[in-house]
Amino acid sequence: REKEEAARKAAEKEALARVPPGELFKQGEYADLYSKYDDDGLPTHDKAGEELAKAQRKKLAKTQAAQKKEHDKFLAKAAADQLGKTTI
C-alpha cells in the first residue's frame, strides 16, 4: 500500500516536472486564476483583469524558479536516458 502511494507521488512529481516553466501558470491548478502573462509566462493580472500585487508576483516568480529547476532536472534525465539508449 505504501509502495503504491510512493509510486503515485513519484508519477505526479514527474508529470509536473515535464511542464515547461513558462506554461506552469497556464494549466493545471493555476489554469483559471490568471488572465495576462509576461514574456516568461509569469502572471501579471488575475482572472478579473486586476494587476497582481508585487508581493504576489514575487511569490509566483519563486514558484516558477523552482519549476524551472525541476524541469531542467527532468530534461537532463531525459537526455541521459536517450544517450543510454543510443549507445546500446
Side-chain angles (χ1 to χ4, degrees):
R1 187 177 183 129
E2 289 179 20
K3 287 182 181 180
E4 290 174 11
E5 182 68 16
R8 186 184 61 78
K9 285 188 178 193
E12 286 177 5
K13 186 175 179 180
E14 183 176 336
L16 183 60
R18 290 175 182 260
V19 178
E23 296 296 314
L24 178 65
F25 299 110
K26 298 177 183 177
Q27 58 189 8
E29 65 183 285
Y30 301 103
D32 298 324
L33 299 178
Y34 308 106
S35 61
K36 293 183 182 176
Y37 306 87
D38 67 9
D39 293 340
D40 295 325
L42 200 62
T44 58
H45 294 73
D46 65 15
K47 68 180 175 182
E50 303 275 330
E51 190 169 349
L52 297 177
K54 187 175 182 180
Q56 192 173 8
R57 288 196 315 262
K58 188 174 181 180
K59 185 176 178 181
L60 292 170
K62 189 174 180 180
T63 301
Q64 188 180 46
Q67 176 64 17
K68 179 177 179 357
K69 187 176 180 181
E70 290 300 316
H71 186 65
D72 288 347
K73 283 184 197 174
F74 167 75
L75 292 176
K77 183 180 182 293
D81 289 349
Q82 196 64 22
L83 278 175
K85 289 179 184 175
T86 58
T87 58
I88 294 175

